[in-house]
Amino acid sequence: MTGYRDMWQALGLDLGAHSALLEALGKGYQDIYLSQRNRPQGMSYFDFVMKEVHGLRIRELLDEKKAGHKIIGSFCVFVPEEIVRAVDSTLVGLCTGAEFATEEVEELLPRNTCPLIKSAFGFKLGKACPYIEASDMIVGENTCDGKKKSYEVLRDLVRKMYIMDIPQVKSDGGRALLKAEYLRFKETMEQFTGISIDADRLRKGIEIVNNKRKALHRLSGLRRANPVPISGLDALLINQVYFYDDPKRFTDSVNGICDELETRIERGEGVFPRSTPRVLLTGCPMAIPNWKIPHIIETAGAVIVGEESCVGERGVRNLTDGSGETVEELMEAIVERYFKVDCAIFTPNPDRLEHILEMYEAYRADGVIHYCLQFCQPYLMESMPVERALEDRGIPTLRIETDYSLEDIGQLKTRIEAFLELIL
Ligand code: BJ8
């Protein structure tokens, strides 16, 4: 990716640190992704996206900016992409999946902060994320305590920061808060871009985002087959790319791969043998390049058939009803859709357990691995009742707590292998 040096320099990246990051990313991708066997041919598109994730895609975003469009960075699936699209802007997920510039981060944040938050700061402080540098505005959300307090610090490090309040209780009051916040966000986006959102614009935004979600629903449906036509690692990558890619191209590429997977299923072809144990992953989101646990699971002889996660089904489960005729009706539909997201920041949060059980059945899983990032209070707290509830129903469950380092790989491997023996 040497042809992009000038672009990265102009964005203010630290070229040395950035090139070390790309080298590590390329090696990780080679070892984890390109070493897989029986991959669908359609994955070559996603290999290309990964190769160009800091190159061509950034150039495209900069071209959009030149044409007068805005780039909005976010860290959470509660930021409604429909509204961003309605003002001809692009929403991108920001880099949070690897350790970076940890020493500098720990000068600003406590050591025992979750790795996802530390990673976001590391990429900013280490000047290694072209997405955050290309963003015209960063939207933070008051979800977990770690994020909301860290945004008070991040606010001083970025060009423009906008904070969205998010309810913590699924009550009428909680819903009213979400609605008020989405209306405020809509007005902010209108002022920021000078575009007034009418029903046609909002409907179009809803349609674009729904199409991406529908393509992912199709992909998840195909993972129910036995043998599974695609690895969990590849499916995770597709779910990760959802947050970066051009939406239309992404939708077409996922539908293309689904056509191929349907043919595989018709022929009875799988990526692993029929007898491979099937695992459902649940818990914290896995951002690029956080592939550690799926890699261990799938090299230990199991296959991941679904992710109950924001980078996965929790993030895309519901569509937004685009049938409304007025802006008010469409905004109501957006609130309705997002209020169903069952993030562990909500108390209580019974829907999440229901969804895990539904997914366990639908994907014909043999066991559940609950994945938590260290110091993530919401998911760690929830992991214990979830484990108890699953085991009460006779569902084998393994709880894992880890970070982005590679230090615990040996220990995790041993625990995961022992768990898989149990479910074989
Ligand atoms: S809707 S899951 S994307 S908040 S891992 S930073 S919760 S301490 S990411 Fe999330 Fe939105 Fe919820 Fe989804 Fe905090 Fe936990 Fe860290 Fe987390």
Side-chain angles (χ1 to χ4, degrees):
M1 282 208 267
T2 42
Y4 299 113
R5 221 183 136 81
D6 291 349
M7 175 180 81
W8 293 329
Q9 196 149 29
L11 282 171
L13 298 192
D14 175 333
L15 294 183
H18 183 244
S19 125
L21 170 74
L22 287 188
E23 202 174 309
L25 189 64
K27 180 161 183 338
Y29 197 74
Q30 175 73 40
D31 294 348
I32 295 175
Y33 274 89
L34 302 182
S35 64
Q36 294 180 96
R37 298 168 67 183
N38 301 330
R39 296 180 80 209
Q41 280 178 3
M43 283 311 293
S44 58
Y45 170 72
F46 294 92
D47 292 340
F48 174 74
V49 169
M50 280 309 294
K51 196 163 147 273
E52 291 290 337
V53 72
H54 280 197
L56 189 59
R57 184 62 187 134
I58 298 299
R59 181 156 288 160
E60 288 178 345
L61 294 178
L62 295 177
D63 287 346
E64 285 185 31
K65 280 158 73 90
K66 264 192 222 143
H69 305 297
K70 301 287 186 199
I71 308 300
I72 311 297
S74 108
F75 297 106
C76 179
V77 299
F78 269 108
V79 180
E81 187 174 357
E82 293 89 336
I83 296 176
V84 176
R85 286 274 149 212
V87 288
D88 297 339
S89 298
T90 295
L91 187 74
V92 288
L94 297 174
C95 308
T96 54
E99 281 181 336
F100 207 77
T102 305
E103 276 182 29
E104 287 164 81
V105 174
E106 289 177 358
E107 283 172 21
L108 293 179
L109 298 177
R111 278 192 69 192
N112 56 355
T113 302
C114 112
L116 191 145
I117 300 171
K118 279 171 127 174
S119 170
F121 273 68
F123 282 116
K124 176 64 203 162
L125 294 169
K127 300 189 181 123
C129 172
Y131 289 92
I132 201 164
E133 304 308 333
S135 295
D136 298 295
M137 180 164 97
I138 311 288
V139 182
E141 15 58 52
N142 291 340
T143 45
C144 63
D145 285 353
K147 273 188 178 175
K148 72 183 171 219
K149 295 307 285 181
S150 71
Y151 293 144
E152 293 173 17
V153 185
L154 191 64
R155 182 187 281 283
D156 294 333
L157 305 177
V158 298
R159 200 173 299 131
K160 183 172 172 60
M161 182 106 199
Y162 175 91
I163 301 294
M164 179 181 283
D165 204 7
I166 301 288
Q168 317 265 299
V169 181
K170 297 263 172 98
S171 60
D172 290 347
R175 193 189 154 108
L177 169 62
L178 193 67
K179 183 169 178 185
E181 281 299 293
Y182 282 1
L183 288 172
R184 186 171 69 92
F185 182 59
K186 171 180 156 292
E187 277 164 30
T188 303
M189 289 307 300
E190 287 177 320
Q191 280 163 12
F192 195 47
T193 57
I195 295 174
S196 166
I197 296 180
D198 59 19
D200 282 346
R201 283 187 162 274
L202 202 47
R203 214 176 292 112
K204 185 79 201 140
I206 290 172
E207 189 190 335
I208 293 171
V209 186
N210 273 350
N211 286 343
K212 287 205 289 181
R213 293 175 182 139
K214 283 181 198 162
L216 287 181
H217 294 174
R218 200 177 152 206
L219 175 68
S220 330
L222 298 171
R223 294 169 75 192
R224 297 175 186 199
N226 192 11
V228 187
I230 185 168
S231 69
L233 271 166
D234 278 338
L236 172 65
L237 185 75
I238 295 172
N239 276 284
Q240 291 174 327
V241 167
Y242 172 92
F243 293 91
Y244 299 89
D245 203 4
D246 171 79
K248 168 90 176 62
R249 194 172 55 205
F250 175 84
T251 303
D252 292 346
S253 306
V254 178
N255 279 320
I257 213 167
C258 288
D259 293 341
E260 187 187 345
L261 299 186
E262 278 170 1
T263 310
R264 278 190 163 194
I265 293 171
E266 272 165 29
R267 292 194 190 130
E269 282 172 19
V271 73
F272 296 111
R274 195 177 283 274
S275 56
T276 307
R278 302 162 68 93
V279 168
L280 176 71
L281 262 187
T282 175
C284 292
M286 291 177 177
I288 291 176
N290 179 11
W291 304 309
K292 180 165 88 170
I293 297 292
H295 179 55
I296 297 177
I297 295 173
E298 295 202 329
T299 49
V303 58
I304 298 163
V305 289
E307 301 79 20
E308 190 284 316
S309 157
C310 284
V311 182
E313 215 155 304
R314 191 186 314 126
V316 296
R317 177 177 294 117
N318 300 302
L319 299 178
T320 303
D321 178 3
S323 66
E325 300 207 336
T326 62
V327 171
E328 289 68 31
E329 285 168 359
L330 294 167
M331 284 300 293
E332 197 62 51
I334 291 174
V335 174
E336 172 78 20
R337 189 257 162 210
Y338 284 87
F339 200 51
K340 290 188 194 136
V341 175
D342 51 350
C343 172
I345 58 145
F346 282 94
T347 178
N349 189 30
D351 293 354
R352 183 166 162 243
L353 176 61
E354 286 306 311
H355 285 138
I356 296 171
L357 291 168
E358 267 172 40
M359 288 180 73
Y360 178 79
E361 290 295 328
Y363 297 103
R364 300 194 264 165
D366 300 304
V368 175
I369 296 189
H370 193 296
Y371 161 80
C372 261
L373 282 169
Q374 251 177 13
F375 310 119
C376 169
Q377 294 298 348
Y379 283 91
L380 281 170
M381 288 275 185
E382 221 167 83
S383 68
M384 291 180 168
V386 164
E387 178 185 48
R388 268 197 304 276
L390 294 178
E391 288 189 342
D392 283 352
R393 289 165 175 81
I395 299 173
T397 307
L398 175 69
R399 265 191 306 128
I400 281 177
E401 183 183 343
T402 184
D403 58 15
Y404 291 161
S405 77
L406 303 182
E407 281 161 21
D408 58 353
I409 281 194
Q411 191 207 10
L412 287 169
K413 234 171 157 342
T414 310
R415 288 188 62 209
I416 289 172
E417 281 168 0
F419 177 69
L420 295 181
E421 285 200 0
L422 197 80
I423 66 173
L424 267 174

